[in-house]
Each structure stands twice: as C-alpha cells, then as structure tokens.
Amino acid sequence: MAENTLNSPLAHSLGRLGGQQKIGLIFAIGAVVALLAGMWMWGTTPDYRVLFSNLSDRDGGAIIESLQQMNVPYKFAEGGGALLVPAEQVHEVRLRLASQGLPKGGTVGFELMENQKFGTSQFLEQVNYQRAIEGELARSVQTLAAVQTARVHLAIPKQSVFVKEQQQPSASVILALYPGRSLNEGQVNAIVHLISSSVPDMPAKNVTLVDQNGTLLSSQSDSGSTPMDANQIKYVHQIEDDYSKRIEDIIAPLVGLNNVHAQVTADIDFTQTEQTAETFKPNQPPNQAALRSQQTVESFNGGAANAAGVPGALSNQPPVPATAPLTSPSANAVTSASGGSNTNSHKEATTNYEVDRTISYTRLPVGSIRRLSVALVVNNRTVTDKNGKVKSLPLTAGEKAQITSLAKEAVGFNEKRGDSLSVENSAFDTPKEVIEEVPLWQQPEIIALVKEILKYGVIAGIGIFLLFGIIRPSFKSLAKSIEVAEINEANASHAAGNVPQYSPQQPGSSYEGNLMAAKQMAQQDPKMVATVVKEWVSNE
C-alpha cells in the first residue's frame, strides 16, 4: 500500500509528459547508466603490458593457443604487432611459455630433418642439413643476453678427391642487438670460435661477424700485434691493485688510516718467447772420454821368405797371422827371420771419441714486469698543541725519506729496469659525504599510489559531475515542467467553468505543490481565488 502511495505521484507526473519528453528522459537515463558502466569497467580493467613483440606467424599462433588454454586474457597493440597480457601475469606467462619452448623463433633446427619424405634427392637432403646447422647455430648465438636475433649463413664447398682443390668452409653471421647493448671483444671472439668449432675444417679467420648497423665486429687482420684480451687486462689490474694495497698497508700504521693513497702503473710484458741453445765443451782427456769408434789398418810388403832350417814338417807350415797392439808406431818395421829375406809391414789405427754437447730448451715466463711507476700521496700530520687546538703540519724530510724507503721495499723497486717512485705530502680535502635522498614525489611506491588515487579520483569526479551536473538538474527540470503542466490544466479547467475544490491536503498531490499552484493562481487570477475563499467560508 505504501509503495503504491509513493509511486502514484511519480506515475501521475510521468503520465503528464509528452512523447518527446518521455523519449528524451529515457535517453538521458540510458546515457547516465552507460557512463557509469563505462567508468566501472575502466576502473576494473587490468593494465596490459607487452609479452612478446615481432613474433612470427607460427610462434604467434602457438602462443595464442597456449594463452587460451591457460585462460589468460590477451590483446594486440595497434601498429606495433606486440602481444599484450595483464601486467601482473607477464613474468608468470613468460616462464610457463618458456617451459613449452615458446617462442621458437623464426629459425628451424634439426627438427627439419624429422619431416624428410621418401624419395628426397641427395641435393635436397644436403640443403636441409645445412639449413638445420644454420638454425641451430643461430639459436645458440641468440642465447646471449645482448643478442636479440641472429642469422647464420654457411658456405660449405663440395668435397674433392684432389688435395689441391679442397677449400675451407666459411660463415657469415648477422646479429641484431637489443637497444643500448653492445658486444665486447671477448664476446665477439666467443661467437667466432663457437661458429668455427661447430663446422669441420673451418678456421676462425673465415667467420665474419656483422651487427644490424653493418659494423664489422670480427677482425680480419692477421697481424701479430693484437690488443690485450680481457684476461690480460684483468691480470694487469690485479698486479696494480696488489702493489697499491701493499704500500697502503705498510705506511698506514705510520700516518694513520685513510691518510695515504697509492697508485701503481705496471708495464707487463705478455710476449711469449722460447729459446733453444746447443753448446759444445772442450775435449776431455782420452782416459775420461767416451769411445765412439776405432779403426785399424795393417799391410805387409816384400818377397816371400826362403825356406830355412831342417827339412821336415815343421819347416813346411804356413806362417802364423800377424798380430799387433791397438797402438803401434807408424814407422815401417823391418824384421828378419833367421835364414830369410827382409819384410816391410805398415799399420794405422784411428780412434774417435764422443764430443760433449748440451741442448737447453728455455721458455720465458709470460706476464713479467718490465717497469713500475708508483705515485704516493700522504696527508699532513695532525698535532694538538697545549691549548687543545688541532693543527695540520707537513711531514719532515726524514719522515718522507722513511715513507719512500718503505714504499720501495714493498713493491721491490728496481732502478735498473726503470722503476719510478714519487711521494707527495699535502693536506687532504675530506668533505663530508652527503647522501641525497630521493624526493618523496620521485619514489616508485609514491608514484604508483598517486596513479591509483588519480584513477579512482577521476572516476569519482565524473560520477559526481553526472549526479549533480546532469541527473539532478534534469529531474528538477522535469518536476518544474510537471508543475507547469498541472497549473495549465487547472487554468484550463477554470476557464471551462469547473472551479477546482482546493484543500491543503488533497490526495495524490503534495502540500508544497498545491501551495505553489495556489500562489501562481492568485497572481494570475485574483478574482478566482477570492471566489474560492468566499465559497469555503460560506460552506463552513
């Protein structure tokens, strides 16, 4: 009953509106509802971030299929071709896609060999095999943090049975680096050796490395003068830091901590030198020398000896072979047998001894110190006088000499190799270190909080504007038009001769509305109001 009482004035008022007014009211209410729904959806819509960009069609389709299976909302950026997902799910989705091997990239590897068809020619098999190797090498290079994409082109010559006609393979690598990234010399050499080691008989000098700007990264010079690599530079810095720390550690107890600073510059020789020496010693005495070879020559000259002695068996025997010692005089020996003629004999002996020889192989150490340059700065002495005042006084000549001697001993000073040492005494300027605090409005947490507050503040502001700027004035205008329609209807009834029976509490109308209508009627037609009041009095 109460609901009907409350709704009946509104229904009665709406019934007095015309068709165009009703349509306008419906459109206004619909627009307000749409604006409120849009603001609510804008406030609850998540912030999207880039998941992947520059995807190939194959990788994009596979990633979208996986996102649909994971129930992750996504959308595409206009013009950029980037795939967007909610910001709070970017890292999780990337890890889950990486476990599935996505994105695979535009290159193909040895999976290309899995789809070989029956009857494929040998040439096509060789082409597919080369494409597979290029794809695998490109994937390996893309694992580097600074490399975004990579392409590898191999030039593998045909094998020949003739040794002179054999050619070495070569490779060309094109790298697309991430913005702001670069490759140092060590990383470039690593990529070159990775490619050359993956292809048989390919030397490192046959690998050409180029970035996306056309800059040649790999050096093609075969000159022997090469700059120091990262390990050599690290070794030099380690030597310099070690000597600097030695100096500061030995002098700090004399002048105090933080009152001495040392810098050492080391000239290191990284030349690799190998030496082979062969020396001969003088001949040793024969009794101490080692026998190498010995040769003896003996000859006899002259006629045959006449037979002598008693005839018989003993005198008819052949002569006994001659024997001689190792060394014998070179002069001819003349012997005579009893009853025979003279015989000449010649004997030569040659003896060779080993000659002393020493062969030494020496490999000089790499990284030897050629020269040291030491710079040393010492702070003034701090002295407190009788009055308690602190003064800064320079070091005496004896103190400087003592510090110089200690520094030389600490670094192994060698004047012959050109070492230099410089000691300076001066007052240190030690300003207090001021740590600048980040302003409150530049802190990331505050910036994020302000963005959220502005977001919901804009929503609240638009809602308040719609409520008090559009909805409330619209209803006020509607109420006024309804009151004007009622007054016009009353005037029309009075003009027709039907005098309305007004009372302060007529059902179906409000007291304020009746009072306002009475005031307007009194202003427009005072005679009619007087007639109504007269009639009320007469009825009482």
Side-chain angles (χ1 to χ4, degrees), residues 51 82 103 183 242 326 382 396 409 437 476:
L51 180 64
L183 296 177
D242 183 53
L326 292 177
T382 302
T396 62
E409 294 296 332
E437 296 184 357
K476 283 186 177 180

Side-chain angles (χ1 to χ4, degrees), residues 93-132:
V93 172
R94 285 180 180 174
L95 293 176
R96 295 176 67 178
L97 291 176
S99 64
Q100 302 176 11
L102 296 174
K104 296 181 179 179
T107 58
V108 292
F110 281 111
E111 66 271 8
L112 186 64
M113 309 298 295
E114 298 177 356
N115 300 323
Q116 292 290 333
K117 298 180 181 180
F118 181 76
T120 304
S121 63
Q122 184 179 2
F123 174 76
L124 186 57
E125 289 181 354
Q126 184 65 28
V127 171
N128 291 337
Y129 177 71
Q130 182 170 339
R131 287 182 57 196

Side-chain angles (χ1 to χ4, degrees), residues 393-415:
L393 300 178
L395 299 178
T396 62
E399 292 174 341
K400 291 184 64 175
Q402 182 183 12
I403 292 174
T404 302
S405 177
L406 290 175
K408 288 183 177 181
E409 294 296 332
V411 299
F413 187 84
N414 188 355
E415 188 175 358

Side-chain angles (χ1 to χ4, degrees), residues 307 310-318:
V310 180
L314 294 176
S315 60
N316 294 329
Q317 292 179 356

Side-chain angles (χ1 to χ4, degrees), residues 41 45 63-64 90 114 124-125 130 153 187 252 254-255 274 284 317 355 403 449-450 458 482 496 501 518 520:
M41 293 178 63
T45 300
I63 291 175
I64 290 176
V90 171
E114 298 177 356
L124 186 57
E125 289 181 354
Q130 182 170 339
H153 303 279
Q187 292 173 325
L254 300 178
V255 299
E274 297 181 357
Q284 299 179 359
Q317 292 179 356
V355 180
I403 292 174
L449 180 61
V450 170
V458 170
I482 293 174
Q501 300 294 327
Q520 292 180 356

